[in-house]
Amino acid sequence: MQATNYLFFLALLLCTGVLPAQNPALVPLPASVSRGTGTYALPATVNVVAEDPDAARVAEFLTDFLEVAGHPTSLNGTGTAAIRLRLTDDADGEAEGYHLLVDDAGVTVEASARAGLFYGVQTLFQLIGTEGAPLPYVEIEDAPRFAYRGMHLDVGRYMFPVDFIKKYIDLMAHFKFNTFHWHLTEDQGWRIEIKQYPRLQEVAAYRDETVEGRAQTRDRGQETFDHERYGGYYTQEEVKEVVAYATDRSITVVPEIELPGHARAALAAYPYLGCEEGAYETAETWGVFPEIYCAGKESTFEFLENVFREVLPLFPGKYVHIGGDEAPKDRWESCPHCQKRMEEEGLENEHELQSYFVQRMEKFLNEQGKTMIGWDEILEGGLAQNAVVMSWRGEAGGIEAAKQGHDVIMTPTDWCYFDYAQADPATEPLGPQAVITVEKVYGYEPLPEELTAEQQTHILGAQANLWTEYVKTPEHAEYMAYPRALALAEVVWSPQLVRDYASFVQRVKALRPLLDRWEVNYATHIFGK
Ligand code: ACM
Ligand code: ZN
């Protein structure tokens, strides 16, 4: 056939739908998808067979999904298997990778580890949710681009109920995120129960009122308040429940206990933790406060170590986040304890004192078998030995840390701050004035070009941060996160080469029925309305 005839014939086939239709609408896009010709109709009762006891729990997620989608199911029933879940003993297989095949024998999902099987089943949810029955023949080979795929939630400014935290985790898992960064302590509230320090629950977990509007600390005097006492905390039992729920969904929870800054609530509960013995109160406005933990007194370290002794057993993951950001040094400059510490330790300035503080905490956490993460300010004054840097003030901190041989998680404000508006702030709910559209997030590239290939191996992945100064409700939090989280999911999971924004928008459109079924309060700007 001549080339022109061939093209004409091809166009005709595409128009008449004889050729395989376009690939299924999947987010994040798998590494490789090949669609065959033919379809497999799910039988009236879908028999799901978990060929390995370790696959059984994943099979339960699948049968639950199918039942809600209107397909009666049986699990390891006697009939022919419609869907097989298989753990292979491929020792070289990627733990989070999977192989999914739909052909005339039905559906097979194979993986070398439970996490991969779980992700294969998430892909199957989308196939069933968007293609319905029958399913197109398709073969998918998939594995993530980055090992760390995170979403953060600030529960210090406003607290969110356990049920919502679980929903947040569920949605993350559906889109193959694997790390939930739980920002648990703030100037405005301490949200995790520490039994040895009851005043954290009685005092630090509450504030007397909250500033209205966009006022920051520096506006003090002009702002108005809501006059409503606000607060609460998660009990250790609730924390265990959340962690177990996340683990079940292949998500690791990273707790963040902020130090030395963002500590006003803790100081309100235990004023001896500050440089000046005096009255402190849990913050009622937003911004950065000078009241931070005293780096000179031994009692500060004793407190923090005791806090971590209760926190660490609740979180089985290897990472613990210690904050480290936005710690003004004003109090340390005039504190005799802090100055004495600097003299004794031969520290040149207060940045080095912060490094002393952080490195001392790191040594303690390493002894407990944990790896410490900190915001990029922990670079100032010298990086702790094994610390992982979370780069938020752009990518410079992450680049510097990777050059020093440290692992890095990218969360730069210009792409990853989901508290920023996703469209013209004048038409969006109250929040920061900056705008990060879905398309901007989608265009993020976590591997900086100026790093060598070896240095790039230190970029573990990326994360979106959802700060909540202006986000009081679960519905609002979800609105800020979705659909931007879907864009980031594709950035951290899919091969860079397959990313295409127009295709992404089409696929998210196709996924809307599924998002609606999961009752996601997503923003609709990308759909043109
Ligand atoms: C931060 O946004 N202060 C990490
Ligand atoms: Zn001090």
Side-chain angles (χ1 to χ4, degrees):
M1 203 187 304
Q2 281 186 336
T4 44
N5 285 346
Y6 177 77
L7 284 176
F8 176 76
F9 182 64
L10 191 68
L12 194 71
L13 287 178
L14 283 169
C15 292
T16 53
V18 176
L19 270 191
Q22 61 186 10
N23 280 333
L26 300 171
V27 176
L29 209 52
S32 148
V33 181
S34 18
R35 186 151 177 172
T37 42
T39 56
Y40 171 74
L42 289 172
T45 297
V46 182
N47 188 22
V48 177
V49 173
E51 295 188 355
D52 185 297
D54 286 346
R57 177 71 187 117
V58 180
E60 266 173 34
F61 285 120
L62 180 56
T63 52
D64 287 352
F65 175 87
L66 286 163
E67 294 278 346
V68 173
H71 299 279
T73 61
S74 59
L75 185 51
N76 290 336
T78 49
T80 317
I83 302 176
R84 277 162 248 95
L85 303 184
R86 184 179 297 148
L87 279 167
T88 62
D89 45 15
D90 174 9
D92 298 332
E94 294 211 39
E96 296 186 303
Y98 65 91
H99 175 235
L100 189 156
L101 181 69
V102 182
D103 61 11
D104 56 359
V107 182
T108 306
V109 186
E110 277 182 343
S112 61
R114 185 195 186 273
L117 206 58
F118 181 82
Y119 291 133
V121 163
Q122 301 311 311
T123 299
L124 188 53
F125 287 178
Q126 293 187 14
L127 278 179
I128 295 168
T130 59
E131 301 282 332
L135 295 172
Y137 287 178
V138 70
E139 179 159 24
I140 296 173
E141 282 287 356
D142 203 7
R145 180 174 176 212
F146 289 102
Y148 186 107
R149 305 180 302 281
M151 290 279 290
H152 148 292
L153 185 64
D154 166 13
V155 297
R157 273 58 180 257
Y158 283 98
M159 186 165 167
F160 297 86
V162 167
D163 280 352
F164 176 70
I165 304 288
K166 288 181 176 173
K167 187 180 178 196
Y168 197 74
I169 286 169
D170 264 329
L171 293 176
M172 284 175 60
H174 286 322
F175 298 99
K176 304 185 174 76
F177 285 98
N178 66 359
T179 310
F180 172 48
H181 172 172
W182 204 359
H183 183 82
L184 285 163
T185 69
E186 258 309 334
D187 294 305
Q188 296 83 4
W190 181 288
R191 305 277 176 241
I192 179 168
E193 179 190 28
I194 304 296
K195 295 180 182 182
Q196 190 177 340
Y197 296 104
R199 285 178 61 81
L200 290 176
Q201 284 71 253
E202 293 155 12
V203 176
Y206 292 90
R207 58 180 181 257
D208 285 338
E209 55 185 356
T210 304
V211 72
E212 292 171 321
R214 202 178 271 119
Q216 298 276 316
T217 328
R218 62 178 173 274
D219 305 324
R220 188 109 202 161
Q222 278 119 65
E223 61 276 33
T224 59
F225 290 83
D226 64 5
H227 309 301
E228 282 173 35
R229 189 166 157 81
Y230 180 87
Y233 61 92
Y234 303 102
T235 65
Q236 292 192 5
E237 282 312 305
E238 286 172 325
V239 170
K240 282 185 208 164
E241 190 183 320
V242 166
V243 170
Y245 192 86
T247 306
D248 205 20
R249 287 154 182 77
S250 294
I251 287 184
T252 302
V253 185
V254 175
E256 181 180 356
I257 306 294
E258 277 261 24
L259 59 91
H262 289 286
R264 263 189 54 174
L267 267 55
Y270 296 101
Y272 73 83
L273 297 170
C275 287
E276 294 164 4
E277 305 265 336
Y280 295 95
E281 59 176 14
T282 307
E284 295 155 352
T285 56
W286 315 122
V288 175
F289 299 92
E291 295 83 11
I292 69 176
Y293 291 114
C294 177
K297 293 185 230 169
E298 279 304 294
S299 49
T300 302
F301 294 94
E302 196 180 311
F303 168 83
L304 286 168
E305 287 179 12
N306 286 336
V307 164
F308 279 116
R309 280 195 185 92
E310 289 196 36
V311 169
L312 299 183
L314 304 172
F315 296 91
K318 73 171 174 174
Y319 294 123
V320 178
H321 203 305
I322 54 82
D325 61 320
E326 300 179 322
K329 307 298 184 291
D330 316 45
R331 295 294 183 272
W332 288 0
E333 283 165 13
S334 55
C335 169
H337 305 285
C338 287
Q339 293 303 313
K340 182 158 172 277
R341 174 83 73 193
M342 284 169 60
E343 210 176 293
E344 282 171 5
E345 298 290 332
L347 305 172
E348 295 278 316
N349 55 42
E350 284 73 18
H351 289 303
E352 289 190 9
L353 183 56
Q354 164 140 346
S355 284
Y356 165 87
F357 199 128
V358 169
Q359 287 175 15
R360 192 167 158 178
M361 290 314 301
E362 178 181 53
K363 187 163 175 294
F364 171 78
L365 293 169
N366 286 173
E367 281 164 9
Q368 314 293 313
K370 299 292 180 182
T371 300
M372 187 186 80
I373 304 178
W375 300 110
D376 58 59
E377 284 93 329
I378 67 169
L379 277 153
E380 296 161 3
L383 205 46
Q385 204 176 355
N386 308 308
V388 176
V389 170
M390 200 168 257
S391 190
W392 72 281
R393 297 177 302 175
E395 295 184 297
I399 291 168
E400 177 55 32
K403 284 183 176 166
Q404 291 183 29
H406 287 259
D407 284 347
V408 169
I409 297 151
M410 288 295 192
T411 66
T413 47
D414 284 353
W415 289 274
C416 296
Y417 268 44
F418 286 7
D419 55 329
Y420 292 4
Q422 51 198 313
D424 179 359
T427 61
E428 290 295 302
L430 181 77
Q433 295 282 10
V435 179
I436 299 180
T437 62
V438 178
E439 186 168 9
K440 179 90 198 260
V441 177
Y442 194 81
Y444 182 53
E445 173 45 44
L447 294 185
E449 277 175 8
E450 54 261 67
L451 294 181
T452 64
E454 197 283 324
Q455 289 163 347
Q456 285 187 347
T457 64
H458 288 294
I459 310 295
L460 302 180
Q463 170 178 292
N465 296 334
L466 182 38
W467 304 101
T468 60
E469 285 94 333
Y470 308 105
V471 179
K472 300 183 188 178
T473 65
E475 294 74 27
H476 189 181
E478 230 166 63
Y479 175 84
M480 301 311 281
Y482 288 87
R484 288 187 290 194
L486 303 184
L488 187 68
E490 196 143 308
V491 168
V492 288
W493 179 280
S494 307
Q496 192 183 2
L497 274 176
V498 305
R499 264 158 58 191
D500 174 76
Y501 183 65
S503 136
F504 169 77
V505 172
Q506 288 309 313
R507 285 178 283 117
V508 176
K509 239 180 219 175
L511 283 172
R512 279 182 79 169
L514 207 48
L515 295 173
D516 291 337
R517 186 186 320 162
W518 288 330
E519 298 181 341
V520 186
N521 184 37
Y522 53 86
T524 57
H525 309 89
I526 64 166
F527 308 123
K529 59 182 155 72

